Amino acid sequence: MFAALSCVLLTLLVSQAQALYFYIDGPVQKCFFEDLPKDTMVVGHYKATQWNEQSRTYVDNSEMGIFITVDEVFDNDHRVVSNRGTSKGKFTFSAADSGDHRLCFTPTNVPSTSGFLFSGSQVGGIKFELDLAIGETSNIESSDKDKIQDVVQKVRDLNARLQDVRREQIHQREREAEFRDQSESVNAKFVRWTVIQVVVLAVTCAWQLSYLRAFFIKQKLT
């Protein structure tokens, strides 16, 4: 009964605020429910810190891990997210259909210890801070937009480089075509000049033979 009441209170808290935090008794699963419309994207940022008895505060623990699960309660607890992350990270999922979703968080690699508030009240040994962004799929966080912009800029730079390479290839092809035309022109002139030389040589030989023949005939008659 107490666990169900805690889940309801957490649900109300999430619906009223973008961020919340709660305490967990060591490696114990903590869950709450969220009623999501269809095609709604959920982006969650979380951070878990562990109670340190010496400093009497919650501090980071690099060895701590967080096991995150998201189940569709309306669909026989169909699991849509099962992620093992570090003590600080991010998770995202999109609601395939409308209904209640159960979000659970379980610390790992931590002992079962308790912590204390400034008032002296004893609480769980793990402080879990959660920031949920719930909205339509088109509502992407600014950090994700920055990443997308970086990717878009890289794609644009790559396209620009490809265009430069293509222009260089076209220039090389034009130079090759120009060189080929010049070579063909030179070869054609060389062939034409060779033919002219052969014709002139043939005409000269024919004239010399005719002249010699006429000369010998004249000498014989005389």
Side-chain angles (χ1 to χ4, degrees), residues 7-68:
C7 291
V8 173
L9 291 176
L10 284 175
T11 303
L12 293 176
L13 188 57
V14 172
S15 63
Q16 295 174 358
Q18 290 291 330
L20 66 122
Y21 66 89
F22 49 88
Y23 298 93
I24 306 176
D25 296 328
V28 178
Q29 187 181 66
K30 196 76 169 182
C31 301
F32 63 90
F33 295 89
E34 185 68 34
D35 187 10
L36 300 174
K38 184 179 180 180
D39 297 330
T40 299
M41 175 173 284
V42 178
V43 180
H45 293 269
Y46 67 90
K47 178 182 179 182
T49 52
Q50 183 178 351
W51 175 260
N52 184 278
E53 191 64 31
Q54 295 179 351
S55 61
R56 306 291 292 179
T57 56
Y58 288 91
V59 298
D60 294 331
N61 182 1
S62 60
E63 297 181 358
M64 186 195 320
I66 300 296
F67 180 51
I68 304 172

Short mmCIF file of all heavy atoms in Angstrom, two decimals, residues 7-68:
data_model
loop_
_atom_site.label_atom_id
_atom_site.label_comp_id
_atom_site.label_asym_id
_atom_site.label_seq_id
_atom_site.Cartn_x
_atom_site.Cartn_y
_atom_site.Cartn_z
N CYS A 7 4.20 5.62 -5.50
CA CYS A 7 4.15 5.72 -6.96
C CYS A 7 3.17 6.80 -7.40
O CYS A 7 3.44 7.58 -8.32
CB CYS A 7 3.75 4.37 -7.56
SG CYS A 7 5.00 3.09 -7.37
N VAL A 8 2.00 6.87 -6.74
CA VAL A 8 1.01 7.88 -7.08
C VAL A 8 1.53 9.28 -6.82
O VAL A 8 1.38 10.21 -7.63
CB VAL A 8 -0.30 7.62 -6.30
CG1 VAL A 8 -1.28 8.77 -6.53
CG2 VAL A 8 -0.92 6.31 -6.73
N LEU A 9 2.18 9.46 -5.66
CA LEU A 9 2.73 10.77 -5.31
C LEU A 9 3.80 11.20 -6.30
O LEU A 9 3.87 12.35 -6.72
CB LEU A 9 3.30 10.74 -3.89
CG LEU A 9 2.25 10.60 -2.76
CD1 LEU A 9 2.95 10.49 -1.42
CD2 LEU A 9 1.28 11.78 -2.77
N LEU A 10 4.64 10.24 -6.70
CA LEU A 10 5.68 10.56 -7.67
C LEU A 10 5.07 10.93 -9.00
O LEU A 10 5.56 11.82 -9.71
CB LEU A 10 6.63 9.36 -7.82
CG LEU A 10 7.62 9.17 -6.68
CD1 LEU A 10 8.40 7.87 -6.89
CD2 LEU A 10 8.57 10.34 -6.56
N THR A 11 3.97 10.24 -9.38
CA THR A 11 3.31 10.54 -10.63
C THR A 11 2.77 11.96 -10.62
O THR A 11 2.90 12.72 -11.58
CB THR A 11 2.16 9.55 -10.86
OG1 THR A 11 2.69 8.23 -10.85
CG2 THR A 11 1.48 9.80 -12.20
N LEU A 12 2.14 12.36 -9.51
CA LEU A 12 1.62 13.71 -9.40
C LEU A 12 2.75 14.73 -9.45
O LEU A 12 2.63 15.79 -10.05
CB LEU A 12 0.84 13.85 -8.08
CG LEU A 12 -0.46 13.03 -7.99
CD1 LEU A 12 -1.07 13.19 -6.61
CD2 LEU A 12 -1.45 13.46 -9.06
N LEU A 13 3.87 14.39 -8.81
CA LEU A 13 5.00 15.31 -8.78
C LEU A 13 5.57 15.52 -10.17
O LEU A 13 5.92 16.62 -10.56
CB LEU A 13 6.08 14.77 -7.83
CG LEU A 13 7.26 15.70 -7.54
CD1 LEU A 13 6.76 17.02 -6.98
CD2 LEU A 13 8.24 15.04 -6.60
N VAL A 14 5.66 14.42 -10.94
CA VAL A 14 6.20 14.53 -12.29
C VAL A 14 5.29 15.36 -13.17
O VAL A 14 5.72 16.15 -14.01
CB VAL A 14 6.40 13.13 -12.89
CG1 VAL A 14 6.77 13.23 -14.35
CG2 VAL A 14 7.49 12.39 -12.13
N SER A 15 3.96 15.18 -12.99
CA SER A 15 3.02 15.91 -13.83
C SER A 15 3.02 17.40 -13.53
O SER A 15 2.61 18.20 -14.35
CB SER A 15 1.60 15.35 -13.64
OG SER A 15 1.17 15.53 -12.30
N GLN A 16 3.49 17.79 -12.34
CA GLN A 16 3.47 19.19 -11.96
C GLN A 16 4.80 19.88 -12.22
O GLN A 16 4.84 21.10 -12.26
CB GLN A 16 3.13 19.31 -10.47
CG GLN A 16 1.72 18.84 -10.14
CD GLN A 16 1.45 18.83 -8.66
OE1 GLN A 16 2.34 19.15 -7.87
NE2 GLN A 16 0.25 18.45 -8.28
N ALA A 17 5.87 19.12 -12.32
CA ALA A 17 7.19 19.74 -12.47
C ALA A 17 8.00 18.96 -13.49
O ALA A 17 7.73 17.80 -13.77
CB ALA A 17 7.91 19.76 -11.12
N GLN A 18 8.98 19.66 -14.03
CA GLN A 18 9.85 19.05 -15.01
C GLN A 18 10.94 18.21 -14.34
O GLN A 18 11.47 17.31 -14.94
CB GLN A 18 10.49 20.13 -15.89
CG GLN A 18 9.52 20.82 -16.83
CD GLN A 18 9.03 19.91 -17.92
OE1 GLN A 18 9.74 19.01 -18.34
NE2 GLN A 18 7.82 20.14 -18.38
N ALA A 19 11.29 18.54 -13.11
CA ALA A 19 12.38 17.84 -12.43
C ALA A 19 11.92 17.41 -11.04
O ALA A 19 11.06 18.04 -10.43
CB ALA A 19 13.61 18.74 -12.32
N LEU A 20 12.52 16.32 -10.57
CA LEU A 20 12.22 15.82 -9.23
C LEU A 20 13.41 15.02 -8.72
O LEU A 20 14.31 14.69 -9.49
CB LEU A 20 10.97 14.94 -9.24
CG LEU A 20 11.09 13.62 -10.01
CD1 LEU A 20 10.80 12.46 -9.09
CD2 LEU A 20 10.13 13.61 -11.18
N TYR A 21 13.39 14.73 -7.44
CA TYR A 21 14.40 13.83 -6.89
C TYR A 21 13.76 13.02 -5.78
O TYR A 21 12.77 13.43 -5.16
CB TYR A 21 15.62 14.61 -6.38
CG TYR A 21 15.35 15.49 -5.18
CD1 TYR A 21 15.46 15.00 -3.88
CD2 TYR A 21 14.98 16.82 -5.36
CE1 TYR A 21 15.22 15.81 -2.79
CE2 TYR A 21 14.72 17.64 -4.28
CZ TYR A 21 14.85 17.13 -2.99
OH TYR A 21 14.59 17.93 -1.91
N PHE A 22 14.32 11.84 -5.55
CA PHE A 22 13.83 10.96 -4.49
C PHE A 22 14.99 10.13 -3.98
O PHE A 22 16.09 10.14 -4.57
CB PHE A 22 12.67 10.08 -4.99
CG PHE A 22 12.94 9.38 -6.30
CD1 PHE A 22 13.57 8.15 -6.33
CD2 PHE A 22 12.56 9.96 -7.50
CE1 PHE A 22 13.81 7.50 -7.53
CE2 PHE A 22 12.80 9.32 -8.70
CZ PHE A 22 13.43 8.09 -8.72
N TYR A 23 14.75 9.41 -2.91
CA TYR A 23 15.80 8.63 -2.26
C TYR A 23 15.49 7.14 -2.40
O TYR A 23 14.34 6.71 -2.36
CB TYR A 23 15.92 9.02 -0.79
CG TYR A 23 16.29 10.45 -0.59
CD1 TYR A 23 15.30 11.42 -0.42
CD2 TYR A 23 17.62 10.85 -0.59
CE1 TYR A 23 15.63 12.75 -0.24
CE2 TYR A 23 17.96 12.19 -0.41
CZ TYR A 23 16.96 13.13 -0.24
OH TYR A 23 17.29 14.45 -0.07
N ILE A 24 16.56 6.36 -2.57
CA ILE A 24 16.44 4.92 -2.75
C ILE A 24 17.31 4.22 -1.71
O ILE A 24 18.45 4.63 -1.46
CB ILE A 24 16.86 4.50 -4.18
CG1 ILE A 24 16.08 5.29 -5.23
CG2 ILE A 24 16.67 3.00 -4.38
CD1 ILE A 24 16.52 4.99 -6.66
N ASP A 25 16.77 3.16 -1.13
CA ASP A 25 17.52 2.40 -0.13
C ASP A 25 18.45 1.39 -0.81
O ASP A 25 18.12 0.22 -0.95
CB ASP A 25 16.56 1.66 0.81
CG ASP A 25 15.72 2.62 1.63
OD1 ASP A 25 16.22 3.71 1.95
OD2 ASP A 25 14.56 2.29 1.91
N GLY A 26 19.60 1.85 -1.26
CA GLY A 26 20.58 0.96 -1.87
C GLY A 26 20.08 0.37 -3.18
O GLY A 26 19.38 1.03 -3.96
N PRO A 27 20.40 -0.90 -3.44
CA PRO A 27 20.02 -1.54 -4.71
C PRO A 27 18.56 -1.98 -4.73
O PRO A 27 18.24 -3.15 -4.90
CB PRO A 27 20.98 -2.73 -4.79
CG PRO A 27 21.24 -3.08 -3.37
CD PRO A 27 21.25 -1.79 -2.61
N VAL A 28 17.66 -1.02 -4.53
CA VAL A 28 16.22 -1.29 -4.51
C VAL A 28 15.56 -0.59 -5.68
O VAL A 28 15.86 0.58 -5.96
CB VAL A 28 15.59 -0.83 -3.18
CG1 VAL A 28 14.09 -1.07 -3.18
CG2 VAL A 28 16.25 -1.54 -2.01
N GLN A 29 14.68 -1.29 -6.35
CA GLN A 29 14.00 -0.71 -7.51
C GLN A 29 12.97 0.33 -7.07
O GLN A 29 12.21 0.13 -6.14
CB GLN A 29 13.31 -1.81 -8.31
CG GLN A 29 12.71 -1.32 -9.63
CD GLN A 29 12.02 -2.44 -10.38
OE1 GLN A 29 11.00 -2.97 -9.94
NE2 GLN A 29 12.58 -2.83 -11.51
N LYS A 30 12.98 1.46 -7.77
CA LYS A 30 12.02 2.53 -7.51
C LYS A 30 11.27 2.82 -8.81
O LYS A 30 11.89 3.07 -9.85
CB LYS A 30 12.74 3.79 -7.05
CG LYS A 30 11.85 4.82 -6.38
CD LYS A 30 11.51 4.40 -4.98
CE LYS A 30 10.85 5.54 -4.22
NZ LYS A 30 10.55 5.18 -2.82
N CYS A 31 9.92 2.79 -8.76
CA CYS A 31 9.12 2.94 -9.96
C CYS A 31 8.08 4.04 -9.79
O CYS A 31 7.68 4.36 -8.67
CB CYS A 31 8.40 1.63 -10.31
SG CYS A 31 9.50 0.22 -10.59
N PHE A 32 7.65 4.59 -10.90
CA PHE A 32 6.48 5.46 -10.91
C PHE A 32 5.83 5.34 -12.29
O PHE A 32 6.41 4.80 -13.23
CB PHE A 32 6.83 6.91 -10.58
CG PHE A 32 7.74 7.58 -11.57
CD1 PHE A 32 7.26 8.26 -12.66
CD2 PHE A 32 9.12 7.53 -11.39
CE1 PHE A 32 8.10 8.87 -13.55
CE2 PHE A 32 9.98 8.14 -12.28
CZ PHE A 32 9.46 8.81 -13.37
N PHE A 33 4.59 5.83 -12.40
CA PHE A 33 3.80 5.68 -13.62
C PHE A 33 3.61 7.03 -14.30
O PHE A 33 3.54 8.08 -13.65
CB PHE A 33 2.44 5.06 -13.29
CG PHE A 33 2.53 3.66 -12.76
CD1 PHE A 33 2.68 3.42 -11.40
CD2 PHE A 33 2.48 2.58 -13.62
CE1 PHE A 33 2.76 2.14 -10.91
CE2 PHE A 33 2.57 1.28 -13.13
CZ PHE A 33 2.71 1.07 -11.78
N GLU A 34 3.51 6.96 -15.62
CA GLU A 34 3.26 8.16 -16.41
C GLU A 34 2.29 7.81 -17.53
O GLU A 34 2.54 6.88 -18.31
CB GLU A 34 4.57 8.70 -16.99
CG GLU A 34 4.42 10.01 -17.73
CD GLU A 34 4.06 11.15 -16.80
OE1 GLU A 34 4.52 11.15 -15.65
OE2 GLU A 34 3.31 12.04 -17.24
N ASP A 35 1.18 8.53 -17.60
CA ASP A 35 0.19 8.33 -18.65
C ASP A 35 0.61 9.17 -19.85
O ASP A 35 0.61 10.40 -19.80
CB ASP A 35 -1.19 8.75 -18.15
CG ASP A 35 -2.28 8.40 -19.17
OD1 ASP A 35 -1.98 7.67 -20.14
OD2 ASP A 35 -3.43 8.84 -18.98
N LEU A 36 0.94 8.50 -20.95
CA LEU A 36 1.48 9.18 -22.12
C LEU A 36 0.56 9.02 -23.31
O LEU A 36 0.05 7.92 -23.56
CB LEU A 36 2.86 8.62 -22.46
CG LEU A 36 3.94 8.74 -21.40
CD1 LEU A 36 5.19 8.01 -21.83
CD2 LEU A 36 4.26 10.21 -21.11
N PRO A 37 0.36 10.07 -24.08
CA PRO A 37 -0.38 9.95 -25.35
C PRO A 37 0.47 9.22 -26.39
O PRO A 37 1.69 9.08 -26.25
CB PRO A 37 -0.63 11.41 -25.76
CG PRO A 37 -0.34 12.23 -24.55
CD PRO A 37 0.67 11.47 -23.76
N LYS A 38 -0.18 8.79 -27.44
CA LYS A 38 0.51 8.08 -28.52
C LYS A 38 1.49 9.01 -29.22
O LYS A 38 1.25 10.21 -29.37
CB LYS A 38 -0.51 7.53 -29.52
CG LYS A 38 0.10 6.70 -30.64
CD LYS A 38 -0.99 6.17 -31.57
CE LYS A 38 -0.39 5.35 -32.69
NZ LYS A 38 -1.44 4.84 -33.61
N ASP A 39 2.63 8.44 -29.66
CA ASP A 39 3.67 9.16 -30.41
C ASP A 39 4.26 10.32 -29.60
O ASP A 39 4.64 11.36 -30.15
CB ASP A 39 3.12 9.69 -31.74
CG ASP A 39 2.69 8.59 -32.67
OD1 ASP A 39 3.28 7.50 -32.59
OD2 ASP A 39 1.74 8.80 -33.46
N THR A 40 4.34 10.14 -28.30
CA THR A 40 4.96 11.15 -27.44
C THR A 40 6.38 10.74 -27.11
O THR A 40 6.62 9.61 -26.69
CB THR A 40 4.17 11.33 -26.13
OG1 THR A 40 2.85 11.75 -26.44
CG2 THR A 40 4.84 12.36 -25.24
N MET A 41 7.30 11.66 -27.29
CA MET A 41 8.69 11.38 -26.97
C MET A 41 8.99 11.80 -25.54
O MET A 41 8.56 12.87 -25.09
CB MET A 41 9.63 12.10 -27.93
CG MET A 41 11.11 11.94 -27.57
SD MET A 41 12.23 12.63 -28.79
CE MET A 41 12.15 11.38 -30.07
N VAL A 42 9.72 10.95 -24.84
CA VAL A 42 10.14 11.23 -23.47
C VAL A 42 11.66 11.22 -23.42
O VAL A 42 12.30 10.24 -23.84
CB VAL A 42 9.57 10.20 -22.48
CG1 VAL A 42 10.07 10.48 -21.06
CG2 VAL A 42 8.05 10.21 -22.52
N VAL A 43 12.23 12.30 -22.93
CA VAL A 43 13.68 12.41 -22.78
C VAL A 43 13.97 12.63 -21.30
O VAL A 43 13.45 13.57 -20.70
CB VAL A 43 14.26 13.57 -23.62
CG1 VAL A 43 15.77 13.66 -23.43
CG2 VAL A 43 13.90 13.40 -25.08
N GLY A 44 14.75 11.75 -20.72
CA GLY A 44 15.05 11.85 -19.29
C GLY A 44 16.54 11.98 -19.02
O GLY A 44 17.34 11.21 -19.57
N HIS A 45 16.88 12.94 -18.20
CA HIS A 45 18.25 13.10 -17.71
C HIS A 45 18.25 12.75 -16.22
O HIS A 45 17.38 13.21 -15.48
CB HIS A 45 18.75 14.53 -17.91
CG HIS A 45 18.91 14.92 -19.33
ND1 HIS A 45 20.09 14.77 -20.02
CD2 HIS A 45 18.03 15.43 -20.22
CE1 HIS A 45 19.94 15.18 -21.27
NE2 HIS A 45 18.69 15.60 -21.41
N TYR A 46 19.21 11.95 -15.81
CA TYR A 46 19.22 11.52 -14.41
C TYR A 46 20.63 11.62 -13.83
O TYR A 46 21.63 11.62 -14.57
CB TYR A 46 18.70 10.08 -14.28
CG TYR A 46 19.61 9.05 -14.92
CD1 TYR A 46 20.64 8.44 -14.20
CD2 TYR A 46 19.44 8.68 -16.25
CE1 TYR A 46 21.46 7.51 -14.79
CE2 TYR A 46 20.26 7.75 -16.85
CZ TYR A 46 21.27 7.16 -16.12
OH TYR A 46 22.10 6.23 -16.70
N LYS A 47 20.68 11.68 -12.50
CA LYS A 47 21.95 11.69 -11.78
C LYS A 47 21.73 11.04 -10.43
O LYS A 47 20.81 11.39 -9.70
CB LYS A 47 22.46 13.12 -11.61
CG LYS A 47 23.76 13.21 -10.83
CD LYS A 47 24.21 14.65 -10.64
CE LYS A 47 25.50 14.74 -9.84
NZ LYS A 47 25.92 16.14 -9.62
N ALA A 48 22.58 10.08 -10.10
CA ALA A 48 22.48 9.37 -8.82
C ALA A 48 23.76 9.62 -8.01
O ALA A 48 24.87 9.47 -8.52
CB ALA A 48 22.29 7.87 -9.04
N THR A 49 23.58 9.99 -6.74
CA THR A 49 24.71 10.20 -5.84
C THR A 49 24.51 9.33 -4.59
O THR A 49 23.38 8.99 -4.23
CB THR A 49 24.83 11.68 -5.44
OG1 THR A 49 23.57 12.14 -4.95
CG2 THR A 49 25.25 12.53 -6.63
N GLN A 50 25.61 8.99 -3.96
CA GLN A 50 25.58 8.07 -2.81
C GLN A 50 25.97 8.80 -1.53
O GLN A 50 26.83 9.67 -1.52
CB GLN A 50 26.52 6.89 -3.06
CG GLN A 50 26.51 5.83 -1.98
CD GLN A 50 27.43 4.66 -2.34
OE1 GLN A 50 27.93 4.57 -3.44
NE2 GLN A 50 27.64 3.78 -1.38
N TRP A 51 25.31 8.40 -0.45
CA TRP A 51 25.59 9.02 0.85
C TRP A 51 26.99 8.66 1.32
O TRP A 51 27.40 7.52 1.28
CB TRP A 51 24.56 8.56 1.88
CG TRP A 51 24.85 9.05 3.26
CD1 TRP A 51 25.43 8.36 4.27
CD2 TRP A 51 24.55 10.35 3.78
NE1 TRP A 51 25.53 9.13 5.40
CE2 TRP A 51 24.99 10.38 5.13
CE3 TRP A 51 23.96 11.50 3.25
CZ2 TRP A 51 24.86 11.48 5.94
CZ3 TRP A 51 23.83 12.62 4.06
CH2 TRP A 51 24.27 12.60 5.38
N ASN A 52 27.74 9.70 1.74
CA ASN A 52 29.08 9.51 2.27
C ASN A 52 29.07 9.88 3.75
O ASN A 52 28.77 11.02 4.12
CB ASN A 52 30.09 10.38 1.51
CG ASN A 52 31.51 10.14 1.96
OD1 ASN A 52 31.96 10.67 2.95
ND2 ASN A 52 32.24 9.31 1.21
N GLU A 53 29.39 8.90 4.58
CA GLU A 53 29.29 9.09 6.01
C GLU A 53 30.32 10.08 6.52
O GLU A 53 30.07 10.83 7.48
CB GLU A 53 29.45 7.75 6.72
CG GLU A 53 29.10 7.77 8.20
CD GLU A 53 27.63 8.08 8.44
OE1 GLU A 53 26.79 7.70 7.58
OE2 GLU A 53 27.33 8.72 9.46
N GLN A 54 31.49 10.13 5.90
CA GLN A 54 32.56 11.02 6.38
C GLN A 54 32.21 12.49 6.11
O GLN A 54 32.35 13.34 6.99
CB GLN A 54 33.88 10.65 5.71
CG GLN A 54 34.39 9.27 6.08
CD GLN A 54 35.70 8.94 5.38
OE1 GLN A 54 36.14 9.67 4.50
NE2 GLN A 54 36.33 7.83 5.79
N SER A 55 31.77 12.76 4.87
CA SER A 55 31.43 14.15 4.54
C SER A 55 29.99 14.50 4.88
O SER A 55 29.61 15.67 4.84
CB SER A 55 31.66 14.40 3.04
OG SER A 55 30.81 13.55 2.27
N ARG A 56 29.19 13.48 5.23
CA ARG A 56 27.79 13.67 5.59
C ARG A 56 27.01 14.34 4.46
O ARG A 56 26.12 15.16 4.66
CB ARG A 56 27.65 14.50 6.87
CG ARG A 56 28.42 13.98 8.07
CD ARG A 56 27.82 12.68 8.59
NE ARG A 56 26.49 12.89 9.19
CZ ARG A 56 25.75 11.90 9.69
NH1 ARG A 56 26.20 10.64 9.64
NH2 ARG A 56 24.57 12.16 10.22
N THR A 57 27.37 14.00 3.23
CA THR A 57 26.69 14.53 2.05
C THR A 57 26.58 13.43 1.00
O THR A 57 27.21 12.37 1.12
CB THR A 57 27.45 15.72 1.43
OG1 THR A 57 28.79 15.31 1.12
CG2 THR A 57 27.47 16.91 2.38
N TYR A 58 25.80 13.70 -0.03
CA TYR A 58 25.70 12.78 -1.16
C TYR A 58 26.75 13.16 -2.19
O TYR A 58 26.83 14.30 -2.65
CB TYR A 58 24.30 12.85 -1.77
CG TYR A 58 23.23 12.21 -0.91
CD1 TYR A 58 22.52 12.95 0.02
CD2 TYR A 58 22.96 10.85 -1.03
CE1 TYR A 58 21.56 12.36 0.82
CE2 TYR A 58 21.99 10.25 -0.24
CZ TYR A 58 21.29 11.01 0.68
OH TYR A 58 20.35 10.41 1.46
N VAL A 59 27.57 12.17 -2.57
CA VAL A 59 28.68 12.41 -3.48
C VAL A 59 28.59 11.45 -4.67
O VAL A 59 27.87 10.45 -4.62
CB VAL A 59 30.04 12.24 -2.76
CG1 VAL A 59 30.20 13.26 -1.64
CG2 VAL A 59 30.17 10.82 -2.22
N ASP A 60 29.34 11.75 -5.71
CA ASP A 60 29.37 10.90 -6.90
C ASP A 60 30.11 9.60 -6.60
O ASP A 60 31.08 9.58 -5.84
CB ASP A 60 30.04 11.63 -8.07
CG ASP A 60 29.23 12.83 -8.53
OD1 ASP A 60 28.00 12.80 -8.37
OD2 ASP A 60 29.85 13.80 -9.02
N ASN A 61 29.65 8.55 -7.25
CA ASN A 61 30.30 7.24 -7.16
C ASN A 61 30.45 6.70 -8.57
O ASN A 61 29.47 6.32 -9.21
CB ASN A 61 29.48 6.28 -6.29
CG ASN A 61 30.14 4.93 -6.13
OD1 ASN A 61 31.24 4.69 -6.65
ND2 ASN A 61 29.49 4.01 -5.42
N SER A 62 31.69 6.69 -9.05
CA SER A 62 31.92 6.28 -10.44
C SER A 62 31.63 4.80 -10.67
O SER A 62 31.40 4.39 -11.81
CB SER A 62 33.38 6.56 -10.82
OG SER A 62 34.28 5.86 -9.97
N GLU A 63 31.61 4.01 -9.60
CA GLU A 63 31.34 2.58 -9.75
C GLU A 63 29.84 2.26 -9.75
O GLU A 63 29.44 1.14 -10.06
CB GLU A 63 32.02 1.80 -8.63
CG GLU A 63 33.55 1.91 -8.65
CD GLU A 63 34.20 1.10 -7.54
OE1 GLU A 63 33.43 0.49 -6.75
OE2 GLU A 63 35.43 1.06 -7.48
N MET A 64 29.02 3.23 -9.38
CA MET A 64 27.59 3.00 -9.34
C MET A 64 27.01 2.93 -10.75
O MET A 64 27.43 3.67 -11.64
CB MET A 64 26.90 4.12 -8.55
CG MET A 64 25.40 3.87 -8.33
SD MET A 64 24.48 5.35 -7.78
CE MET A 64 25.63 6.09 -6.63
N GLY A 65 26.06 2.05 -10.93
CA GLY A 65 25.34 1.95 -12.19
C GLY A 65 23.84 2.09 -11.96
O GLY A 65 23.36 1.93 -10.83
N ILE A 66 23.10 2.38 -13.00
CA ILE A 66 21.65 2.52 -12.92
C ILE A 66 21.02 1.64 -14.00
O ILE A 66 21.37 1.76 -15.18
CB ILE A 66 21.20 3.98 -13.10
CG1 ILE A 66 21.82 4.87 -12.02
CG2 ILE A 66 19.68 4.08 -13.06
CD1 ILE A 66 21.36 4.53 -10.62
N PHE A 67 20.12 0.78 -13.56
CA PHE A 67 19.37 -0.07 -14.48
C PHE A 67 18.00 0.56 -14.69
O PHE A 67 17.22 0.71 -13.74
CB PHE A 67 19.25 -1.49 -13.93
CG PHE A 67 18.49 -2.43 -14.83
CD1 PHE A 67 18.83 -2.55 -16.16
CD2 PHE A 67 17.43 -3.17 -14.33
CE1 PHE A 67 18.12 -3.42 -17.00
CE2 PHE A 67 16.73 -4.04 -15.15
CZ PHE A 67 17.08 -4.16 -16.49
N ILE A 68 17.70 0.94 -15.93
CA ILE A 68 16.47 1.66 -16.26
C ILE A 68 15.58 0.76 -17.11
O ILE A 68 16.03 0.16 -18.09
CB ILE A 68 16.78 2.95 -17.03
CG1 ILE A 68 17.75 3.83 -16.23
CG2 ILE A 68 15.51 3.72 -17.36
CD1 ILE A 68 18.25 5.03 -17.02
#
